[in-house]
C-alpha cells in the first residue's frame, strides 16, 4: 500500500488548546533502545502521561477498524505510518489526558517533517531525550521479543529508517543524549537527573 492511498483515511480535527503550557518531552532512540522501558519508570516517579506512538498505532491495528487494517500492512513490513495519521492519533490521546502533569511522547518524532508539524500544531517540546545504542544491541533486544512487527526484515528496515530519517531531528533539537547500552537501572539514574530539571 502506498502512502498516497492512505490519503483517503478519515482525519479528525482535534482541538489541542487544553495542552498549552504542559511540559512535553520527546523520547527518541532506535527501535529497542529502551524508550518504553524508561518511560514506564518516569511515569511511576514523576506522574507524567506516557504516550507511545507505536503502542497507539498497534492498538489501532488490533481494534480492527478500517484505519487499523490499513496501518497493519505498513507496520508489519517495517514502513512508517503517514504523518497526518500519527498526528491525529497522538493528539486524540493527549487531549483525553489533558489534565496530566506532563507528557512523554515516546517514539516521536521520526523525522523533521513530523517534528515541525508537532511544533506548529501543539508547541515546542520542553526537552528532548535521545537513547543511544548501537545497531547490534538494538537488533538483539528486538529479536528476543515477539511483537507482530519484530521480524528480522522489519527490524533492519526500522533501524535503517531511524539512522537516515530520525537522527537529523536529534541534532536539530539539541537532544540530551543518554547511553542506552547499560542496564535499565543505570540508564534511569541519568534520566531522573534530567527530569529533576523539568
Ligand atoms: P515503536 O513501538 O515506537 O517501535 P520501536 O521504535 O521499534 O520501539 P520499541 O517499542 O520496539 O522499542 P523501545 O525503544 O520502546 O524499547 P523497549 O523499552 O520496548 O513503533 C512501531 C512501529 O509503529 C514503527 O515501526 C512504525 O511503523 C510505527 N510508528 C511508530 N511511531 C511512529 C511515528 N511517529 N510516525 C510514523 N510511524 C510510527 O525495549 C525493547 C526490548 O529491550 C524489550 O524487550 C526490553 O525488555 C529490552 N530492554 C529495554 N531496556 C533494556 C536495557 N537497558 N538492557 C537490556 N534490555 C533492555
Amino acid at each position: 500500500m502506498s502512502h498516497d492511498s492512505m490519503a483517503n483515511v478519515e482525519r479528525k480535527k482535534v482541538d489541542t488548546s487544553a495542552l498549552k503550557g504542559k511540559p512535553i518531552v520527546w523520547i527518541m532512540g532506535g527501535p529497542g533502545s529502551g524508550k518504553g522501558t524508561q518511560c514506564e519508570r518516569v511515569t511511576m516517579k514523576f506522574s507524567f502521561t506516557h504516550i507511545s506512538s507505536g503502542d497507539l498505532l498497534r492498538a489501532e491495528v488490533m481494534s480492527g477498524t478500517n484505519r487499523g487494517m490499513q496501518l497493519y500492512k505498513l507496520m508489519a513490513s517495517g514502513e512508517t505510518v503517514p504523518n497526518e495519521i500519527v498526528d491525529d492519533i497522538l493528539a486524540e490521546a493527549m487531549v483525553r489526558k489533558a489534565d496530566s502533569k506532563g507528557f512523554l511522547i515516546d517514539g516521536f518524532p521520526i523525522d523533521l517533517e513530523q517534528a515541525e508539524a508537532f511544533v506548529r500544531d501543539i508547541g515546542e517540546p520542553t526537552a528532548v531525550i535521545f537513547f543511544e545504542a548501537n545497531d547490534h544491541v538494538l537488533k538483539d533486544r528486538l529479536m528476543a521479543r515477539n511483537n507482530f512487527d519484530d521480524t528480522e526484515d522489519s527490524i533492519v528496515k526500522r533501524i535503517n529508517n531511524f539512522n537516515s530519517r530520525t537522527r537529523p531531528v536529534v541534532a536539530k533539537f539539541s537532544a540530551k543524549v543518554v547511553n542506552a547500552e547499560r542496564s535499565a537501572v543505570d540508564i534511569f539514574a541519568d534520566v531522573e537527573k534530567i527530569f529533576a530539571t523539568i
Side-chain angles (χ1 to χ4, degrees):
M1 176 181 300
S2 73
H3 281 196
D4 288 348
S5 60
M6 296 292 295
N8 296 328
V9 178
E10 188 191 340
R11 295 205 59 194
K12 291 181 190 163
K13 182 89 191 106
V14 185
D15 176 4
T16 56
S17 56
L19 304 175
K20 292 278 176 256
K22 296 280 180 182
I24 294 173
V25 182
W26 290 348
I27 304 292
M28 302 183 65
S33 58
K35 303 179 294 291
T37 304
Q38 294 300 319
C39 283
E40 274 175 32
R41 289 168 181 253
V42 172
T43 301
M44 298 279 285
K45 178 134 194 190
F46 297 95
S47 305
F48 273 46
T49 295
H50 177 200
I51 308 256
S52 160
S53 50
D55 286 352
L56 286 174
L57 292 167
R58 275 188 286 270
E60 185 76 24
V61 169
M62 298 307 176
S63 72
T65 59
N66 262 349
R67 181 164 72 172
M69 286 190 284
Q70 289 171 299
L71 299 182
Y72 171 79
K73 285 192 182 168
L74 293 171
M75 293 174 66
S77 64
E79 296 292 338
T80 54
V81 170
N83 289 344
E84 59 271 26
I85 307 301
V86 179
D87 279 354
D88 287 353
I89 290 175
L90 270 183
E92 285 165 21
M94 290 175 79
V95 167
R96 273 199 299 273
K97 299 274 184 174
D99 57 347
S100 172
K101 195 174 153 200
F103 294 94
L104 302 169
I105 314 293
D106 170 2
F108 182 94
I110 54 152
D111 59 19
L112 283 169
E113 198 186 317
Q114 265 190 6
E116 281 153 15
F118 186 99
V119 169
R120 186 183 61 236
D121 294 339
I122 300 177
E124 287 277 347
T126 314
V128 181
I129 299 177
F130 170 50
F131 293 115
E132 172 96 75
N134 80 53
D135 294 355
H136 296 293
V137 170
L138 301 181
K139 195 171 163 194
D140 286 350
R141 287 184 188 168
L142 293 181
M143 291 299 285
R145 225 170 46 170
N146 206 17
N147 284 347
F148 76 79
D149 54 351
D150 284 340
T151 60
E152 185 163 5
D153 283 355
S154 164
I155 291 168
V156 168
K157 195 181 278 184
R158 278 147 66 201
I159 290 174
N160 291 343
N161 261 337
F162 179 81
N163 286 327
S164 60
R165 291 175 59 185
T166 312
R167 277 187 184 272
V169 181
V170 171
K172 181 160 183 198
F173 283 81
S174 308
K176 296 174 198 302
V177 180
V178 174
N179 171 1
E181 293 182 6
R182 299 169 295 158
S183 72
V185 171
D186 287 349
I187 297 168
F188 188 63
D190 285 356
V191 171
E192 264 186 300
K193 287 183 199 145
I194 297 171
F195 274 83
T197 67
I198 290 173

